Every structure is written in C-alpha cells, then in structure tokens.
Amino acid sequence: MQAEPKKSQAEQRAVAEPVSEPVSLVGEEYEVEVGPVAHGGHCIARTSEGQVLFVRHTLPGERVVARVTEGEEGARFLRADAVEILDPSKDRIEAPCPFAGPGRCGGCDWQHAKPGAQRRLKGEVVAEQLQRLAGLTPEEAGWDGTVMPAEGDKLPAGQVPSWRTRVQFAVDADGRAGLRRHRSHEIEPIDHCMIAAEGVSELGIERRDWPGMATVEAIAATGSQDRQVILTPRPGARLPIVELDRPVSVMRVEEKDGGVHRVHGRPFVRERADDHTYRVGSGGFWQVHPKAADTLVTAVMQGLLPRKGDMALDLYCGVGLFAGALADRVGDQGAVLGIESGKRAVEDARHNLAAFDRVRIEQGKVESVLPRTGIDEVDLIVLDPPRAGAGRKTVQHLSTLGARRIAYVACDPAALARDLGYFQDGGYRVRTLRVFDLFPMTSHVECVAILEPAQKGL
C-alpha cells in the first residue's frame, strides 16, 4: 500500500488550529454622532472603536442609537438602522408612510426628511462623487448645486408626490402583495404605496390575493389610459383570473426562458413624450416618473442645440425617446443612428421611428456595434447607459468621433463621475450639468451632463 504523503508544517498547523469564524455584529447597538450623507441612501457614522457605520433612517448632525443590520468584527464597514433618535435634525419629519422605517419597506430612503432637505442631500452626494471620481467641483462642471424637482412635485413637508408609474410588488407565501425590505428578500405586506402613481393605485393590486405568484408588476402609462400587469408565477403555479378595478392587459413571465408573453390585451403600453407616442412592449424600459421623459428630452435638446443636417448617435436608445427628438430637429438632411441591446426594445424603436427615413436602429451592445458601423465622425451624441455606466473603452471610442456636443444622461452619479473622468482624458470637458429629483423619497437622482471639446467652443 502506498504511504500517504507527509503533511507540511503549515498543513499540520491548519488542522491543529482551525480558523475561527468572524464574529457577527448584527443586533449590536451603538450610540453615535451622524456625519455626512453617502451615496446609497444612508449617512456615515463611526463606532467608538472607529469602525465605519452606514446608517439608514437618520440625517447628518443627529445623535442616534444605531443597530447593526449587516457586518462582522474587522469588516471594512457595517450597515445599520437608526432605531432611536436622541438628538433630531431640524430637517427631520415623521415619515408619512406607515410602512417606512427600520426593518420595514425598503422602497424609500428619505421619508423622514423634509422635501427640501432630501434634494440638498442628493446634491451633496452628486458633488462628492464628482469630486472624488472626476476631480470636478460643481463650478467646474457648470452646475449651481441645485437639484430640481419635477413639475408638481414641490410639496409641503408631510405630503408625498405620487409619481411611480411602474411598481413591482412582491408576493408572500400567503398571496399578499407587498414590497421588499431593504437589502432583503423578505416582504413587507402593504395596503397602499404612497409614491405609486394614481394609475397604479387605482388598479388595487394590494387589495386582492395573488396565490401562486412571485411578483406582480403594475404599469400605468403616461399620456394614455393603458394599464398593464405582468405576472411572474412561482414554479408550477397557474395564473389566477385577473379581475382588477380598471381594465388591464395581462402578461406572463415564462419560467423556462424568462420571456414575457401576452395573456390577453395589448402586449405593450403607449407612452407620450415630446409630442410623440412611443410603444413600449413587454415591460420594457421607460422612465418611471410621469414628467421624466419630457424633462430629460428638454434638458438634452437645450444642451445639444441640434442643427438641421446634423449626424447624431443615440446610444442605449431603448424604444427611441432621444432618437425621435433628435430626428425631429436634424431634419431630412440629417441622420440618427440608435443602438440598443434589447431585442424587443429595438423592435419598438423601429416601430416608433418608422416615419423617419433617416433614422436607423441597430441591435447589440454599444461597444460591439459602434466600431462595426465604420462611423468615424458625428456631430452630436446622446448616451443614456444602464446604472453601471458606459465604461472606459466606450468613452474612449466616443471621444475620437469629434462630436460638437455630447449629452450624457445618468441615473447613478458615481457611474457618471467615473465616465466624465474618462471623457476628460479623451479631450472633453463638462459644459453644464443639471440634476433632477425624478425619484422623490428615494436616494436616486437623474443627471444630464453636456460635454464639448476642451480646446474649442461652438
């Protein structure tokens, strides 16, 4: 019989001295002074031992008792909730939503802050990301530091704008609809979501049972009466009969391929923006605030100032919102190329823009399709990338096309700041930056940055 190889001294020590598991600090409480706001809907504090706490449900300058929700000894940081407010900020209010608070619904971050304070906090986050990741001050970015509310959203403290036109409800084992708790698969049953748009609330999703369903997504189109429900059944479950308080079309997410298929009604909703109607199918992307599409088109077009005959790119173009606005403005002698990775979105974009002979929509990832087009010069570029941003390689390519102006639409200030840094390396500077509060009560913002070549103006 062959003898076993002799264990090394290190292996012998590993057997003799098993590695101890990290000690969880979940449930530990610390009395802390709360510092500045951070990206992600929380503020920064430190334990008496110096460990960083990311604390939700608090505001800068407060003294609170923070209870750890994630983390262990020796971790770079801990996550926590403020469970007792010892010294409140003047910007604090009682959360209007009965489902907000520590351990409850995770959909909103700032229910406990006055509306003006929410916008100031968001502005501080954008400014911090610009400085840290792009080396830009607000002044260097052409931004006055304000975060603009959407039309109709500037309400007194204690009132909540009903803005969310698309809400995905999670369904618990008893068939009750609710929303997920923060960073959790656990479900908070609710009877009403305060930030849901009227068109969503009037469907009454929360007032009925959904046996066998994992999620129920409700969509209320802007500019039409179209309503849609997208059901995701649990494995092996049958669809329930959908009887809601308003007429709806019903779609189903298939277990096998994850595709969205029509059960009855239209397989799309009709959205309205910039005097155009856009078909959006199968739960495809559209801005969730009813004023967002028009707000962003206006900001982009005011920044780009398109001219008749311009050649323009619309990257990550979705169903063609910006491509349509560009096509209107560059005229018959101009041209627009849109690139989008989603197959259904491309079909919708081609349908939506069929009246424009000089618009072409290509399917695929921007970093793959754009080099294959052979385009080496354009006048204008719009890019509205996903939350992760466009990335260094794509920005480097765009910087070589000689665009007179570039409009970058971003829902994540960190990704925006990183990409602005790459554009600076490519010879572009930020001319203006506008920041919009299109997600009230949450930590999210929408930004529109207008760039131009650093060495020349218009």
Side-chain angles (χ1 to χ4, degrees):
M1 179 182 294
Q2 186 175 359
E4 290 186 8
K6 186 177 180 181
K7 289 184 172 63
S8 68
Q9 290 184 344
E11 290 173 319
Q12 293 177 40
R13 283 198 303 270
V15 172
E17 302 172 11
V19 178
S20 59
E21 290 293 323
V23 176
S24 172
L25 295 178
V26 173
E28 291 290 318
E29 294 186 353
Y30 300 92
E31 187 175 316
V32 294
E33 298 280 354
V34 179
V37 64
H39 184 31
H42 47 247
C43 297
I44 298 174
R46 289 183 181 273
T47 68
S48 56
E49 293 79 25
Q51 195 164 18
V52 173
L53 286 172
F54 289 157
V55 190
R56 281 171 56 82
H57 308 292
T58 191
L59 294 168
E62 292 186 326
R63 187 164 188 82
V64 305
V65 174
R67 180 181 297 152
V68 177
T69 56
E70 293 181 46
E72 55 199 26
E73 282 187 355
R76 199 159 53 89
F77 62 85
L78 307 173
R79 296 185 183 275
D81 284 341
V83 294
E84 185 179 353
I85 311 302
L86 304 175
D87 186 8
S89 164
K90 61 180 177 57
D91 290 323
R92 175 174 287 276
I93 60 170
E94 187 73 25
C97 177
F99 307 107
R104 306 294 301 278
C105 174
C108 293
D109 304 294
W110 299 119
Q111 286 268 352
H112 58 285
K114 294 177 181 177
Q118 293 183 35
R119 292 190 286 273
R120 288 197 303 274
L121 292 170
K122 295 182 187 192
E124 290 172 17
V125 168
V126 173
E128 189 271 337
Q129 297 296 306
L130 286 173
Q131 181 63 59
R132 186 169 65 86
L133 298 174
L136 291 171
T137 65
E139 293 76 18
E140 290 169 332
W143 176 44
D144 64 5
T146 61
V147 177
M148 296 296 297
E151 180 185 345
D153 279 358
K154 200 167 184 179
L155 299 174
Q159 295 186 29
V160 177
S162 302
W163 57 270
R164 194 172 183 91
T165 60
R166 296 176 176 225
V167 179
Q168 186 177 80
F169 297 92
V171 181
D172 67 16
D174 296 322
R176 296 176 301 174
L179 297 171
R180 298 199 185 277
R181 292 166 183 156
H182 182 61
R183 294 175 60 84
S184 172
H185 293 295
E186 294 182 358
I187 298 169
E188 179 76 17
I190 65 172
D191 55 30
H192 175 64
C193 175
M194 294 187 74
I195 65 171
E198 181 180 354
V200 170
S201 294
E202 68 185 12
L203 294 178
I205 301 293
E206 310 96 310
R207 295 189 291 274
R208 64 153 293 170
D209 292 332
W210 298 94
M213 296 301 101
T215 64
V216 178
E217 183 174 4
I219 299 171
T222 300
S224 78
Q225 292 300 308
D226 292 350
R227 303 290 183 263
Q228 189 176 83
V229 169
I230 303 175
L231 303 175
T232 303
R234 297 182 186 277
R238 290 185 174 186
L239 288 187
I241 296 173
V242 178
E243 295 179 344
L244 296 175
D245 297 343
R246 294 290 187 277
V248 295
S249 60
V250 178
M251 308 291 287
R252 172 193 175 114
V253 178
E254 293 293 341
E255 182 182 345
K256 292 181 179 179
D257 60 6
V260 182
H261 302 279
R262 185 177 73 91
V263 177
H264 69 75
R266 290 193 186 98
F268 58 83
V269 296
R270 294 163 298 177
E271 301 280 4
R272 187 80 180 161
D274 194 42
D275 294 327
H276 287 282
T277 297
Y278 291 87
R279 185 182 82 182
V280 185
S282 301
F285 175 78
W286 187 261
Q287 291 286 343
V288 293
H289 193 294
K291 300 291 184 181
D294 278 323
T295 297
L296 295 175
V297 166
T298 298
V300 167
M301 295 303 130
Q302 287 177 346
L304 290 181
L305 298 176
R307 302 169 183 169
K308 297 296 184 183
D310 276 343
M311 165 60 191
L313 297 177
D314 180 10
L315 307 180
Y316 317 92
C317 71
V319 301
L321 173 64
F322 295 115
L326 286 165
D328 272 342
R329 291 157 175 84
V330 303
D332 295 339
Q333 300 304 308
V336 181
L337 171 65
I339 300 177
E340 165 60 38
S341 62
K343 180 179 178 182
R344 181 56 195 262
V346 168
E347 293 173 359
D348 286 338
R350 288 171 177 166
H351 169 86
N352 295 333
L353 305 174
F356 297 104
D357 294 334
R358 300 277 288 168
V359 175
R360 189 168 96 247
I361 306 295
E362 296 287 347
Q363 183 187 349
K365 294 183 177 180
V366 169
E367 60 268 26
S368 301
V369 173
L370 187 56
R372 294 202 303 265
T373 65
I375 294 173
D376 58 11
E377 187 175 359
V378 297
D379 297 299
L380 302 173
I381 299 171
V382 179
L383 65 158
D384 185 4
R387 188 170 296 279
R392 185 189 297 272
K393 183 178 179 181
T394 296
V395 169
Q396 287 175 338
H397 187 169
L398 298 180
S399 299
T400 68
L401 300 181
R404 182 175 75 247
R405 284 193 179 178
I406 298 172
Y408 190 130
V409 182
C411 60
D412 185 272
L416 171 66
R418 280 193 297 270
D419 284 347
L420 291 183
Y422 301 148
F423 272 115
Q424 288 182 102
D425 295 341
Y428 277 80
R429 72 178 185 91
V430 185
R431 177 183 175 90
T432 62
L433 175 67
R434 298 175 71 181
V435 184
F436 300 98
D437 186 15
L438 300 180
F439 309 90
M441 302 291 150
T442 79
S443 62
H444 302 292
V445 293
E446 199 82 24
C447 301
V448 176
I450 304 298
L451 300 97
E452 65 181 8
Q455 299 304 317
K456 56 183 179 180
L458 292 175

